[in-house]
Amino acid sequence: MTDSPSASSLIIGGAASSPRAPLPTLPPLALYIHIPWCVRKCPYCDFNSHTASPVLPEQEYVDALLADLDQDLHAVYGREISSIFFGGGTPSLFSAEALGRLLKGVEQRIPFAHDIEITLEANPGTFEQEKFVAYRKLGINRLSIGIQSFQQQKLEALGRIHNGDEAVRAAGMARQAGFDNFNLDLMHGLPDQSLEDALSDLRQAIELKPTHISWYQLTLEPNTVFWNQPPVLPEDDTLWDIQEAGQALLAEHGYAQYEVSAYAQPGRPARHNLNYWSFGDFIGIGAGAHGKLSHPDGRIVRTWKTRLPKDYLNPAKSFQAGEKALNNDEMPFEFLMNALRLTAGVESHLYPERTGLPLESLAEHRREAEQSGLMQVEPSRLAATERGQLFLNDLLQKFLS
C-alpha cells in the first residue's frame, strides 16, 4: 500500500512535469462483480476461478458482495453506475433469484443510469431457457457467451464441457429469452488448428448474428495446466494467416474492430469495456476483483479484493487485500496500456482530464513512439498505428519511466 502522491514536481520522460491537477470531472463509473466458480477449471484459464461444489453458497456470497460494496460506497458518494459486468468463473451458475437480490441491493446503494448496460458472462453448458428468461426480466440486458470453438476436437483440447451443438443452441436461446445484444467469445490459434478450422469457427459465429464478437488468440499463461504441459500450437505463419483472413471476414460481415480483440456491429461495442479502456472508474467486488477509483483531488487508487472464496466468505478476514495510489510517473503507462488497445485510440484531451497531468508530460516518449512508427502522428488523438497494435508491448515500454 502506498500513500497518496504528493504535489511536488516529478520527473517524467526526462523533463520536470507540473504537479497533478484536481480532476475537472470524474469519469464514468462502472461496477464489476466477480463470481469465482466454474463447473470445471479450463487448462488455459488464468482467471480467478475455482471448481464449484455441488451446492453453491449463493446466499452467503450475495451477502458478502453487498457488504463488500458497502465498504466502497464512501469513495463513490453522489455518483451513478453506467454499467455492470458479472464476470467469473461462470456467473450463470447462480440462480436468477440470487442475482435479482444482488441487483436490487446494489441499486438501493448506488443509482443506476437510465440506460445502464448490465452484462452477464455465461457458458453454453450452463444455459437453461427458463433461467435466461428470468435473467432478462431482472434487467440484465447483455450476455457474453463463452463459445471458444464449435469443433468437438478443439473443445475437448480446451477442456470445455459443452459441444458445438450446444454452442449454436445457446445463441438462439439467448435471442428467444429477449437478449437482442450479446457477445460470443471465440479463440483462435488453438492446438493443431489450421486456417480453415479457424475460419470455419468464425463463419459459424457470424451466422448466429451476435451483436459483438470477442476473437482472440490462445496464449499460454503462467499458473495454468497449458503452461506446465504446453500443447502443440500453430506455427507463426499460420497464426498470421488466421489473423489477417479472420479480420477481413469479420469486416466483410459488418463487424468493425474497435479494440485488439473486440469486433462489433455499428453502435454495439461493449460500453463497460470501453469505459475500462478509456481509463474510466470501476468498483470491483467479489473474490479477487480489482477496482480503480478517481477522486476530485487528483488521487487515483487501484484496489484488489481477497482472492480465495473461502477467505472472502470468512467474516474474520477483510474483503480488501490491498490498494495502491498511482503516482505521477506511473500514470502514462497506466493510461496508455488501456487507451492504446482501442484501434481509434482516444482524444488527446482525455489524458489530462482522466489523470490530472498535462499532455506535455507525454511529449518526449510520444515523439519517440511516432518516429518508430508505433504511434500515429495526430495531435488531437493518442492512437497506435497498425504496426503499433501488432507490437503493443513494445509501444507501451516506451512510456515506462
Side-chain angles (χ1 to χ4, degrees), residues 23-36:
L23 300 181
T25 58
L26 293 176
L29 177 67
L31 173 65
Y32 175 77
I33 302 171
H34 192 76
I35 297 180

Side-chain angles (χ1 to χ4, degrees), residues 80-253:
E80 67 175 21
I81 298 176
S82 61
S83 66
I84 297 174
F85 194 100
F86 288 93
T90 308
S92 55
L93 290 176
F94 267 37
S95 67
E97 180 182 5
L99 296 186
R101 185 164 76 87
L102 175 57
L103 283 172
K104 182 177 180 181
V106 172
E107 192 170 14
Q108 288 171 343
R109 289 161 170 80
I110 310 180
F112 287 6
H114 74 278
D115 59 347
I116 189 169
E117 175 193 87
I118 306 179
T119 301
L120 178 84
E121 285 189 336
N123 286 332
T126 62
F127 262 74
E128 299 172 23
Q129 182 69 33
E130 290 184 3
K131 181 191 282 191
F132 281 81
V133 170
Y135 286 159
R136 185 67 190 89
K137 288 179 179 177
L138 296 177
I140 296 170
N141 51 22
R142 186 175 181 273
L143 290 179
S144 182
I145 307 171
I147 301 294
Q148 313 315 349
S149 177
F150 294 93
Q151 298 165 37
Q152 190 59 32
Q153 183 184 13
K154 300 297 186 284
L155 289 169
E156 289 174 3
L158 292 172
R160 304 295 289 172
I161 62 171
H162 67 272
N163 59 43
D165 290 341
E166 286 177 311
V168 171
R169 286 199 301 271
M173 290 170 67
R175 193 171 278 110
Q176 290 168 22
F179 289 95
D180 63 356
N181 189 14
F182 66 93
N183 168 66
L184 297 183
D185 259 358
L186 205 62
M187 283 185 177
H188 60 89
L190 306 182
D192 299 316
Q193 189 178 50
S194 67
L195 171 61
E196 187 49 44
D197 286 339
L199 293 181
S200 174
D201 270 346
L202 206 46
R203 290 189 193 100
Q204 177 64 82
I206 290 168
E207 188 177 318
L208 297 173
K209 294 182 168 49
T211 49
H212 190 285
I213 294 177
S214 296
W215 189 59
Y216 51 96
Q217 184 179 321
L218 171 64
T219 55
L220 305 186
E221 302 290 350
N223 303 314
T224 65
V225 172
F226 275 2
W227 181 263
N228 295 313
Q229 303 169 30
V232 177
L233 300 181
E235 298 288 340
D236 286 347
D237 286 349
T238 301
L239 292 173
W240 179 252
D241 290 343
I242 289 172
Q243 185 76 27
E244 282 198 316
Q247 288 180 330
L249 183 64
L250 285 160
E252 178 187 338
H253 288 272

Side-chain angles (χ1 to χ4, degrees), residues 311-390:
D311 292 336
Y312 186 81
L313 290 169
N314 184 346
K317 294 184 180 290
S318 172
F319 293 122
Q320 185 155 302
E323 69 174 44
K324 174 180 171 54
L326 301 178
N327 58 43
N328 286 21
D329 56 358
E330 294 172 309
M331 205 64 69
F333 181 84
E334 288 280 337
F335 181 89
L336 292 171
M337 74 173 177
N338 294 298
L340 293 181
R341 289 183 63 91
L342 295 168
T343 55
V346 297
E347 294 184 2
S348 297
H349 64 77
L350 205 64
Y351 182 76
E353 288 177 9
R354 298 277 164 96
T355 68
L357 293 173
L359 189 61
E360 292 73 25
S361 64
L362 296 177
E364 182 177 335
H365 294 323
R366 185 179 181 182
R367 279 193 300 272
E368 183 182 341
E370 290 171 351
Q371 290 166 1
S372 301
L374 298 175
M375 274 190 81
Q376 295 180 20
V377 182
E378 190 174 348
S380 64
R381 298 197 73 78
L382 295 166
T385 60
E386 286 188 21
R387 183 167 178 266
Q389 288 277 318
L390 291 173

